[in-house]
Amino acid sequence: TEEEFMARGLSPTEAKEEARRRFGNLDEYRRELGRMSHRTAARSRWLGSLEAIGQDLAYLFRGLRREPGFTAAVVLTLALGIGANTTLFGVVDHLLLTPPAHVKNPDTAVRLQVHRFSPFSGEPETMSYQTYNDYRDFLDASNLESVAAYGDQELILGRGEDASRINAVFATASYFPLLGVDPALGRFFDQSEDQPEFSEVAVLSHDLWQNRFGGREDILGRTLSIGDGTYSVIGVVPEGFNGVDLTPVDLFLPIYAYTAYDGSDQWTTHRGYYWIQILGRLPSLSSRQAAMDEATALHRNGRREMIDEGRYSEDARVVLGSIKAALGPDAPEEVRVARWLIGVTFIVLLIACANVANLLLARGARRKRELGIRVALGISRRRMVGQLLLESTVLAGLGGAVGLAMAYWGGQALRSTFLPDVAWNASPVNSRVLLFTLGVALRTGLLAGMAPAWRGADQGMANTLREGDRGGTGRRGWAQSALLV
């Protein structure tokens, strides 16, 4: 300190300079002290806010326990609205948003579809089903890393009393490599088995392997009676893989096995035999337009004779569709209904919000004197609004939890009743459904609580201490009537 240096014989000026030199940059110390002060104040405000929220929650739950009938009515009303939206979102998420299981890089996997004018109606149409010769034409596309074709058909597995109907997919050897799927057991058929003199080999679905054959690993090499032929099992696909369509698949066969089913090989040469769908893999998303232009040229060139004879649209062009079957032109009617129902359930949620807002307004009218006392005791308008919005949000959270349980059971019932032919590989409630429910519950709580919060925190509320139950009745009636409508 300056006193110590002066005791050593330095002058007051010299002592002051030496003390500052040893102490360091005084301005920097001041700035650091200021930052510490700000951090301490911010921490104090944060702890104060947490304490206030804790007090508000304790007050809120005490009020809800005092009125169990009101609480149950609000929670069940919101649960119906939120549960309906969550249930439908779970269905739409599987049909439209979630990529097919085990498909790698689904953004660059596409369907090659043909947009043309129908020779029957003259109207434009987009066709997913094409011929095997169309597939051969696309094999020359340099802007596609790979191309695959597949078709599905119902077959009979087994003989006599053990016979049962199964869904089979006839696919080219490039099908599994294009999708990036690895076998769970054994292998997939290769190019040597993808020939007119095809090998009678089969790849089982995971479900068929588990349910019919007990998941035994010695299934490899076992012969099965499928249709009119006998096939040797060479592999099993991973659990949950059902190809790229919505229907469940029981087994996969080489595409030339279709000859045995059809009884002739006319499908391999005739350009009027529409039964397969064609997949492609893009090198990158930026190559999409170039791939469409090249595929269009190859398709028109393959159909040149038909175009010249007027039997095929000369304006036909190839478009690249989503790998998701539900997003294509051949989506089942159930998918279109599900999209429409999303809008309906949103309206149901709005009605639930209006009902809850009405209940909260009616409750606010009964609590008018209580709220007036709190305002008179000095609670701020901002905190009053926060408390009322917190109340509606907590109620919406409870409704969301009940709605989530409803969505789990309701989703299973909806799947089995209205969409029995769709492959469902997961629970009706997944991480995206949970996040969706959380977001809907939060927004519902804020939406339902806005009118009651504004009404309850009216700056003139303290007047109710003098006016009793008079005042605001007309306005309250108007608001509730509007919500009722």
Side-chain angles (χ1 to χ4, degrees):
T1 63
E2 293 183 24
E3 290 81 2
E4 291 177 345
F5 290 125
M6 288 173 67
R8 295 179 187 178
L10 296 180
S11 67
T13 303
E14 292 173 334
K16 186 176 183 179
E17 290 178 354
E18 182 64 18
R20 287 189 174 183
R21 185 183 67 79
R22 294 198 180 190
F23 188 77
N25 190 331
L26 193 58
D27 292 335
E28 181 60 32
Y29 281 114
R30 289 196 183 100
R31 285 192 293 270
E32 180 59 28
L33 288 172
R35 286 193 290 267
M36 291 174 63
S37 176
H38 286 309
R39 286 197 293 269
T40 302
R43 183 183 179 188
S44 178
R45 288 194 299 271
W46 183 70
L47 291 175
S49 298
L50 284 181
E51 183 180 359
I53 292 174
Q55 293 172 352
D56 291 344
L57 284 173
Y59 174 77
L60 186 158
F61 283 113
R62 283 197 302 270
L64 295 181
R65 282 198 300 269
R66 285 196 303 267
E67 299 181 282
F70 166 81
T71 303
V74 171
V75 169
L76 289 177
T77 299
L78 290 175
L80 287 172
I82 296 173
N85 277 266
T86 301
T87 301
L88 261 295
F89 177 80
V91 172
V92 172
D93 175 64
H94 176 78
L95 296 180
L96 304 178
L97 305 180
T98 305
H102 300 286
V103 174
K104 295 179 181 176
N105 301 319
D107 290 341
T108 57
V110 295
R111 292 177 185 267
L112 278 72
Q113 301 164 334
V114 176
H115 185 81
R116 65 171 192 173
F117 287 95
S118 169
F120 306 105
S121 65
E123 297 294 326
E125 62 179 359
T126 300
M127 298 179 59
S128 293
Y129 287 90
Q130 299 175 61
T131 71
Y132 189 72
N133 275 343
D134 293 323
Y135 160 71
R136 285 175 172 168
D137 295 337
F138 295 136
L139 290 175
D140 294 329
S142 60
N143 286 295
L144 292 171
E145 283 186 349
S146 58
V147 182
Y150 74 96
D152 54 1
Q153 191 64 52
E154 269 196 357
L155 298 177
I156 301 297
L157 172 64
R159 298 280 190 271
E161 294 181 355
D162 293 331
S164 60
R165 288 187 178 274
I166 59 170
N167 294 324
V169 163
F170 299 91
T172 59
S174 55
Y175 179 80
F176 295 108
L178 184 149
L179 297 177
V181 180
D182 298 318
L185 184 69
R187 66 178 180 86
F188 298 138
F189 36 83
D190 55 29
Q191 291 292 343
S192 66
E193 294 157 329
D194 188 14
Q195 302 293 332
E197 294 76 23
F198 68 95
S199 299
E200 294 183 323
V201 293
V203 175
L204 304 183
S205 73
H206 194 275
D207 284 349
L208 184 67
W209 176 48
Q210 291 290 327
N211 298 333
R212 180 147 180 165
F213 303 105
R216 297 173 54 181
E217 295 194 2
D218 61 1
I219 189 66
L220 298 180
R222 179 172 173 176
T223 57
L224 303 178
S225 297
I226 303 172
D228 294 329
T230 302
Y231 295 78
S232 176
V233 178
I234 60 171
V236 177
V237 300
E239 184 177 5
F241 179 74
N242 283 283
V244 292
D245 290 335
L246 296 175
T247 54
V249 178
D250 297 307
L251 60 81
F252 300 83
L253 303 174
I255 197 165
Y256 276 99
Y258 189 73
T259 298
Y261 167 80
D262 190 56
S264 74
D265 62 355
Q266 187 180 17
W267 62 271
T268 63
T269 57
H270 199 285
R271 287 199 180 265
Y273 208 112
Y274 293 88
W275 76 282
I276 64 170
Q277 298 189 62
I278 303 174
L279 307 177
R281 173 71 73 173
L282 297 170
S284 65
L285 291 176
S286 60
S287 61
R288 191 180 189 90
Q289 188 59 50
M292 282 197 292
D293 294 341
E294 182 183 29
T296 296
L298 291 170
H299 181 71
R300 290 177 181 175
N301 185 58
R303 298 270 182 167
R304 177 53 52 193
E305 181 179 346
M306 297 176 66
I307 292 174
D308 292 342
E309 294 174 356
R311 295 186 293 117
Y312 197 77
S313 174
E314 61 181 352
D315 296 324
R317 69 179 189 277
V318 176
V319 294
L320 302 184
S322 170
I323 196 72
K324 289 287 295 181
L327 297 176
D330 301 310
E333 183 66 26
E334 293 86 348
V335 174
R336 292 189 283 273
V337 171
R339 292 174 178 172
W340 179 77
L341 283 177
I342 282 290
V344 174
T345 54
F346 179 71
I347 295 173
V348 171
L349 182 60
L350 289 179
I351 294 172
C353 289
N355 287 336
V356 169
N358 249 331
L359 290 172
L360 292 174
L361 279 171
R363 184 169 181 254
R366 296 195 305 272
R367 299 171 62 196
K368 188 164 56 174
R369 185 173 180 81
E370 171 198 341
L371 297 176
I373 292 174
R374 302 191 70 196
V375 170
L377 291 175
I379 187 171
S380 68
R381 178 182 175 86
R382 178 178 179 181
R383 186 170 180 184
M384 179 71 78
V385 170
Q387 287 177 344
L388 295 172
L389 285 177
L390 180 64
E391 180 181 51
S392 63
T393 303
V394 168
L395 288 169
L398 295 173
V402 177
L404 203 59
M406 293 171 60
Y408 179 81
W409 300 108
Q412 290 182 325
L414 187 66
R415 290 176 173 191
S416 59
T417 304
F418 297 103
L419 299 164
D421 296 328
V422 173
W424 302 100
N425 305 317
S427 166
V429 177
N430 56 30
S431 58
R432 276 194 300 274
V433 173
L434 285 172
L435 289 174
F436 174 82
T437 305
L438 178 62
V440 169
L442 179 60
R443 287 168 172 78
T444 299
L446 294 175
L447 183 61
M450 281 170 55
W454 171 81
R455 184 75 186 92
D458 194 333
Q459 287 180 336
M461 184 65 73
N463 293 334
T464 58
L465 289 173
R466 298 186 299 272
E467 298 175 3
D469 287 335
R470 301 190 310 273
T473 304
R475 180 163 28 167
R476 184 184 70 237
W478 178 88
Q480 289 183 266
S481 297
L483 287 168
L484 179 60
V485 171

